[in-house]
Amino acid sequence: FTIVYDGANKGPHLWVSREGGESGEVSIPESYLSGLPADDLWGHLKIADVGVRQFVRNVAEGTSEGPNFYDGLLAQLVIDAAFESNREGVLVTITN
């Protein structure tokens, strides 16, 4: 995932690669943009219920929505696999 802050490619960009070595950019679905233009980088953070805003709402409402410890673990497994893949030069499979 890349965010370009200025210029012709301004906006969020999502890149993926596949086993055969091919890679390319994947378009971000409109449903994820909440009706905002893709290049409105800060507008998304103003309306998204993330971080501290989400934590406060969860405490106030007694809910537990959003990322949890398990989600963090999975994210860390992806990060570790990316480092290992880069270091070893091989495809790393994540199993959990």
Side-chain angles (χ1 to χ4, degrees):
F1 183 76
T2 307
I3 297 178
V4 178
Y5 290 97
D6 201 12
N9 292 321
K10 182 178 177 183
H13 301 273
L14 180 62
W15 291 83
V16 297
S17 61
R18 294 184 174 80
E19 262 187 69
E22 64 183 275
S23 65
E25 186 172 0
V26 176
S27 63
I28 299 173
E30 291 289 325
S31 61
Y32 286 97
L33 300 176
S34 303
L36 294 172
D39 65 354
D40 184 358
L41 303 175
W42 301 110
H44 295 281
L45 293 177
K46 291 177 186 173
I47 64 168
D49 200 11
V50 297
V52 173
R53 188 180 306 127
Q54 185 177 50
F55 175 76
V56 169
R57 185 177 57 78
N58 284 340
V59 171
E61 297 176 3
T63 60
S64 182
E65 294 181 25
N68 56 31
F69 182 82
Y70 183 70
D71 296 327
L73 169 65
L74 295 179
Q76 188 62 52
L77 291 174
V78 170
I79 293 166
D80 291 346
F83 279 122
E84 181 181 348
S85 177
N86 181 62
R87 185 177 57 251
E88 303 294 328
V90 298
L91 177 69
V92 175
T93 302
I94 301 170
T95 58
N96 188 10

